[in-house]
Amino acid sequence: MSHDRAVAVDPAQHRGKAFGRLTGVGGALAVAGVGASVALAGGTPQFYFSWLVAYLFFLSIALGGLFFVLVLAVSRAGWGVSLRRVVENVMATLPVFAVLFVPIWLGRHELYAWARPEEVAKSALLRGKAPFLNEDFWFVRAILYFVAWSALATFFSTQSQKQDETGDERISARMRGIAPVGIILFALSTTFCSIDWMMSLEPEWYSTMYGVYFFSGAVIAIFSFVILLVQFAYTQGALRGVVTTEHLHDVGKLLFGFTIFWAYIAFSQYFLIWYGNIPEETVYYMKRQVGSWQSVGMLLAYGHFLLPFFFLMPRAAKRSSALLVIAAVWQLFMHFLDLHWAIMPVLHPESARPGFVDLAAFSAVGGVFLAAIGWVSSRRALVPLGDPRLPEALSFENV
Amino acid sequence: MRFVPQLFPEGEHFGLLAEYDSPGALVRACEHVRDAGYRKWDAHSPFPIHGIETAMGLGRSRLPYVALIFGLGGALGGMALQIWANAIAYPMVISGKPMFNWQPYVPITFECGVLLASLATVFGMFAFNKLPMLFHPLFGVEHFAKATDDGFFISVEAWDPKFDARATGELLSSTGARRVHLVRRREDAAP
């Protein structure tokens, strides 16, 4: 019987140093990526758009991490304690995204039509939206998001680390008390950041599903990314016996569930616009049925939902490391394609034009992201050793 | 005339009933009975016991497959019904949309899939558990009522190929049973 099993975690085996290699690899990727993207397209719209896609991709993983930590705290989940630190380390990179935001700020005139006075002068709609969509307010909002994300990430990260030493149960209670406030802040900031940075690329169009659409992708991304990070930790000799098949099975279930959630949200947005059939709403999908964008959209419907839905359905797929890694890599790729499909038709209305600049920007942002995870992780244990519910998590079993 | 389908083979005895003191003793006893190779037996406890499925050697439930088949069937049926009704039997132009368009069919297709999958799960669970069962020979044993309060029991059925009233009784006694009881088949013959 599992709960009779004596459990002991050897802290020496689960040092964050296991992720130290990420710092070097990430740093190299970042330098190469920044160099290549600036050399290939520095200052051109292509550079800013590619950067925006890469930025939102990795930001959505980090935001998903914040969401995961908040939900584990607010639901008082016992099972997730053993993998919570890995998620916290992803979440703790959120302040870095304020720095990575600089190119987007620099490229605001190339990216956003509402930031170009000549476009605003032409359009009555843009003039009407100017009280919200103007450079100053847009910038203030971005600062507010970064303040909220950094504050939440720092709070949960440092409290959890403090518990490593003290084992104080009141820290869990404090995190649980702040988490509901955090969830409200998270919901508002995630919704509005997706409106500000993605939806306002087509400022005359709007969708009330947009925020939750971005959120559903972010949650898919974090569950996929956690699966990959845990597997990486295994190869470095850490987390074995602490994060077990049972925990990964549950992350797999969540990935499966949110894959359905993404499809539900994506279809709901499409369906209502299709049914209403009003030109100012349908323009979004009309644009995305031009040239190869049509095929990208179909690939998303089948590849981001239908295929992983049946792939992740059997219990065996969620309990096999290899199959789960395949699903995670695939869903991350599809999530990237989803963002690419949402953003790039603004720059390339004629057809999909993926290129080296996209790859370089991906490597630049991703490199910084990985390096930050490596740096944060190497300064603390890879398991929340002081959490009073760690033994419960270690003996967790799916029924 | 028989109104309730016959669930158990004919015979004088239903089998043996052994009572244990604790959930731990029950789980250990289950491991012995499982290892002795019995197939037609069951454990009874007032609450679910973690890990008893492995101790009893139970395999995975077949219920998910039932749910999957009915879920897919429901989805296909829901889709087919809408195609037949809207595009074939009563074609009608609604807000200028084509006769056959998959978009509005998706919600109902989804709902029919969910409906049949969930109904199949509930009634499939009933079927696999042979419910509703209005009478069970164990009800004739007076102290078996403790199974809903503080009693932990193993019952081995007489039609198990390995069943032998004496040898099985000795096995159950050796696993620490407080008492072992031979249960008669008929309710009117309750002890």
Side-chain angles (χ1 to χ4, degrees):
Chain A
M1 275 167 75
S2 60
H3 55 259
D4 293 344
R5 197 169 65 205
V7 221
V9 178
D10 175 14
Q13 244 188 347
H14 305 292
R15 289 218 181 93
K17 293 252 182 299
F19 280 6
R21 190 182 283 182
L22 289 180
T23 319
V25 175
L29 280 174
V31 171
V34 171
S37 53
V38 171
L40 281 170
T44 64
Q46 178 67 59
F47 169 80
Y48 294 122
F49 273 88
S50 297
W51 188 277
L52 183 65
V53 174
Y55 178 84
L56 286 167
F57 176 75
F58 290 103
L59 176 71
S60 68
I61 300 178
L63 281 176
L66 174 61
F67 171 75
F68 199 178
V69 169
L70 288 170
V71 165
L72 284 176
V74 85
S75 63
R76 217 172 169 173
W79 71 273
V81 172
S82 58
L83 56 76
R84 199 186 68 217
R85 181 56 52 79
V86 176
V87 187
E88 284 170 0
N89 292 341
V90 178
M91 168 193 75
T93 63
L94 275 170
V96 177
F97 283 90
V99 181
L100 292 170
F101 187 71
V102 170
I104 295 168
W105 179 76
L106 286 174
R108 62 197 181 284
H109 299 292
E110 280 79 3
L111 289 166
Y112 303 106
W114 54 263
R116 293 194 284 270
E118 70 278 11
E119 302 260 3
V120 178
K122 273 192 289 184
S123 161
L125 270 174
L126 289 192
R127 280 197 302 279
K129 290 183 180 187
F132 186 80
L133 287 180
N134 62 71
E135 283 186 46
D136 293 334
F137 191 27
W138 177 81
F139 187 66
V140 169
R141 286 198 302 273
I143 300 285
L144 288 178
Y145 309 147
F146 291 124
V147 168
W149 296 338
S150 303
L152 286 171
T154 311
F155 173 79
F156 282 95
S157 191
T158 49
Q159 290 292 315
S160 172
Q161 196 179 355
K162 202 156 100 190
Q163 203 178 36
D164 281 5
E165 285 134 35
T166 62
D168 190 351
E169 206 170 345
R170 280 172 302 177
I171 290 181
S172 299
R174 202 177 303 149
M175 293 200 280
R176 206 157 54 236
I178 297 292
V181 183
I183 284 193
I184 295 169
L185 283 176
F186 168 83
L188 289 173
S189 57
T190 307
T191 303
F192 278 95
C193 91
S194 70
I195 293 172
D196 278 2
W197 301 340
M198 286 172 76
M199 198 171 99
S200 78
L201 288 165
E202 287 151 283
E204 298 184 339
W205 178 81
Y206 63 91
S207 158
T208 48
M209 297 297 275
Y210 211 83
V212 72
Y213 184 79
F214 178 69
F215 161 77
S216 64
V219 181
I220 290 181
I222 184 63
F223 293 138
S224 306
F225 196 66
V226 164
I227 290 167
L228 298 185
L229 273 186
V230 169
Q231 296 295 338
F232 175 72
Y234 286 170
T235 65
Q236 305 297 305
L239 291 185
R240 272 198 194 280
V242 175
V243 180
T244 63
T245 310
E246 304 296 331
H247 302 104
L248 288 177
H249 183 184
D250 264 19
V251 178
K253 286 183 212 166
L254 287 166
L255 178 59
F256 175 67
F258 276 92
T259 297
I260 302 169
F261 182 70
W262 174 87
Y264 175 75
I265 297 302
F267 179 75
S268 298
Q269 175 172 291
Y270 171 72
F271 183 46
L272 293 192
I273 290 175
W274 176 87
Y275 232 136
N277 207 10
I278 302 168
E280 58 257 44
E281 289 179 358
T282 50
V283 60
Y284 182 82
Y285 289 103
M286 293 304 284
K287 257 189 197 167
R288 282 156 185 79
Q289 284 172 17
V290 175
S292 50
W293 289 122
Q294 163 90 14
S295 317
V296 177
M298 292 315 284
L299 180 60
L300 282 174
Y302 289 102
H304 208 6
F305 168 61
L306 210 61
L307 189 69
F309 174 72
F310 285 107
F311 185 86
L312 281 169
M313 191 184 271
R315 176 185 159 95
K318 285 168 288 211
R319 293 183 75 86
S320 144
S321 290
L323 295 180
L324 211 50
V325 165
I326 292 172
V329 171
W330 177 258
Q331 281 299 61
L332 279 174
F333 172 64
M334 279 294 143
H335 176 51
F336 180 82
L337 201 66
D338 188 22
L339 293 171
H340 190 87
W341 178 80
I343 290 169
M344 280 298 179
V346 179
L347 180 67
H348 298 299
E350 69 291 351
S351 196
R353 294 255 179 281
F356 284 112
V357 186
D358 294 302
L359 204 63
F362 185 84
S363 156
V365 181
V368 174
F369 179 64
L370 284 185
I373 292 175
W375 185 77
V376 170
S377 304
S378 58
R379 291 161 68 242
R380 56 184 110 181
L382 217 47
V383 179
L385 297 164
D387 195 303
R389 304 186 74 190
L390 183 60
E392 182 190 332
L394 293 176
S395 59
F396 166 70
E397 269 181 41
N398 280 290
V399 180
Chain B
M1 196 201 276
R2 188 186 290 280
F3 291 102
V4 183
Q6 187 181 357
L7 294 166
F8 305 109
E10 292 291 347
E12 194 193 346
H13 292 116
F14 167 74
L16 284 161
L17 180 69
E19 185 186 354
Y20 297 87
D21 291 325
S22 69
L26 179 67
V27 169
R28 280 187 293 278
C30 282
E31 286 165 353
H32 285 293
V33 178
R34 173 195 69 194
D35 294 342
Y38 287 92
R39 308 283 303 157
K40 306 263 178 216
W41 63 288
D42 208 349
H44 311 268
S45 147
F47 46 80
I49 299 172
H50 195 74
I52 200 157
E53 315 89 65
T54 28
M56 289 179 70
L58 296 179
R60 304 278 323 156
S61 167
R62 288 163 295 168
L63 199 51
Y65 297 102
V66 176
L68 176 68
I69 290 164
F70 276 84
L72 289 176
L76 286 175
M79 178 66 100
L81 174 68
Q82 293 173 88
I83 293 173
W84 177 76
N86 294 333
I88 298 167
Y90 303 97
M92 199 181 286
V93 177
I94 299 168
S95 67
K97 302 274 196 287
M99 299 296 178
F100 173 79
N101 38 7
W102 62 271
Q103 289 92 339
Y105 300 166
V106 169
I108 292 165
T109 303
F110 171 74
E111 297 300 347
C112 287
V114 171
L115 178 70
L116 259 76
S118 44
L119 287 179
T121 307
V122 173
F123 291 107
M125 183 272 287
F126 273 44
F128 284 140
N129 285 318
K130 301 192 175 100
L131 293 173
M133 189 189 292
L134 298 177
F135 175 75
H136 193 283
L138 285 174
F139 293 167
V141 182
E142 200 179 334
H143 66 267
F144 185 69
K146 287 175 75 186
T148 61
D149 178 18
D150 60 351
F152 304 91
F153 297 90
I154 287 179
S155 60
V156 183
E157 290 157 29
W159 39 90
D160 186 290
K162 292 204 63 163
F163 185 85
D164 174 85
R166 204 161 56 88
T168 309
E170 276 165 15
L171 169 78
L172 290 171
S173 302
S174 74
T175 58
R178 184 196 290 173
R179 53 182 154 177
V180 180
H181 206 101
L182 188 62
V183 184
R184 291 186 167 274
R185 177 71 182 79
R186 316 292 302 181
E187 62 188 299
D188 48 286

